[in-house]
Amino acid sequence: MAKKPTTPNTRPTADNRQARFEYEILDRYVAGIMLTGSEVKSIRAGKAQLQDAYCGFQGGELWIRNLLISPYSHGGYANHEPLRVRKLLLKQTELKSLRKSVQEKGLTIVPLRMFFNARNLVKVEVGLARGKKLYDKRESIKTREQERSARRGDD
């Protein structure tokens, strides 16, 4: 009996909504991430949080820190450390352009969302971002409130 092909999960398993409010996203990249088996099972169960996560370079490679992946409930002795540093996998040209932007322009790299692609591999969407000023945040709140009132039909 042939196996049914699994459909890709397009819904993000973890989303960093706060980053879209705090930063102006200039460019986006999709990166692979090095994980252990229990981490993948825990992500599939929806036990990952990107809220405090950030990315940084170390030794020419891009690493993600403070990404919380809760221990797998049936992991036993082979479970993982929840806040360990994990390596992000990008092409060398992408790494070079990101490093150049971070060093020269003072930008930062923030993880935006984590999802499974069509081949059921975990991917992390990272964004090259610039921090918003207070008046930019107020403007974001104002436009969001106007859109909500327009959807409700309020004046």
Side-chain angles (χ1 to χ4, degrees):
M1 183 175 202
K3 280 178 110 176
K4 286 185 180 179
T6 57
T7 57
N9 186 1
T10 56
R11 187 176 61 75
T13 57
D15 199 8
N16 192 355
R17 294 175 59 203
Q18 189 67 26
R20 290 179 180 84
F21 180 70
E22 295 285 333
Y23 298 99
E24 174 189 354
I25 309 299
L26 304 175
D27 203 5
R28 296 171 189 259
Y29 295 91
V30 176
I33 184 169
M34 290 181 67
L35 299 171
T36 63
S38 63
E39 288 174 326
V40 175
K41 289 180 179 185
S42 190
I43 291 170
R44 205 172 287 283
K47 304 285 185 183
Q49 292 183 359
L50 285 171
Q51 272 67 26
D52 297 329
Y54 63 97
C55 300
F57 283 97
Q58 183 179 7
E61 298 170 338
L62 189 61
W63 298 83
I64 188 166
R65 301 178 196 301
N66 282 357
L67 169 62
L68 177 66
I69 301 175
S70 299
Y72 184 56
S73 59
H74 303 298
Y77 72 92
N79 238 335
H80 60 277
E81 185 182 330
L83 286 173
R84 74 178 185 92
V85 179
R86 296 164 180 97
K87 184 177 176 182
L88 292 177
L89 307 170
L90 287 165
K91 294 180 180 178
Q92 283 294 324
T93 54
E94 293 172 337
L95 284 173
K96 286 179 185 176
S97 69
L98 279 173
R99 178 178 281 243
K100 182 179 175 185
S101 297
V102 168
Q103 287 177 345
E104 291 179 1
K105 299 176 186 170
L107 303 176
T108 187
I109 304 168
V110 292
L112 300 174
R113 67 185 181 115
M114 184 182 294
F115 61 96
F116 286 93
N117 70 355
R119 294 175 49 202
N120 279 325
L121 298 174
V122 179
K123 299 292 181 177
V124 177
E125 182 179 26
V126 295
L128 188 62
R130 177 184 303 126
K132 284 186 180 178
K133 305 288 186 207
L134 182 61
Y135 55 84
D136 291 334
K137 292 179 188 178
R138 288 181 184 153
E139 188 67 31
S140 299
I141 293 170
K142 184 178 174 183
T143 57
R144 184 173 60 217
E145 292 297 324
Q146 287 173 349
E147 288 172 4
R148 280 186 190 159
S149 64
R151 277 192 300 235
R152 282 186 297 217
D154 296 345
D155 284 327

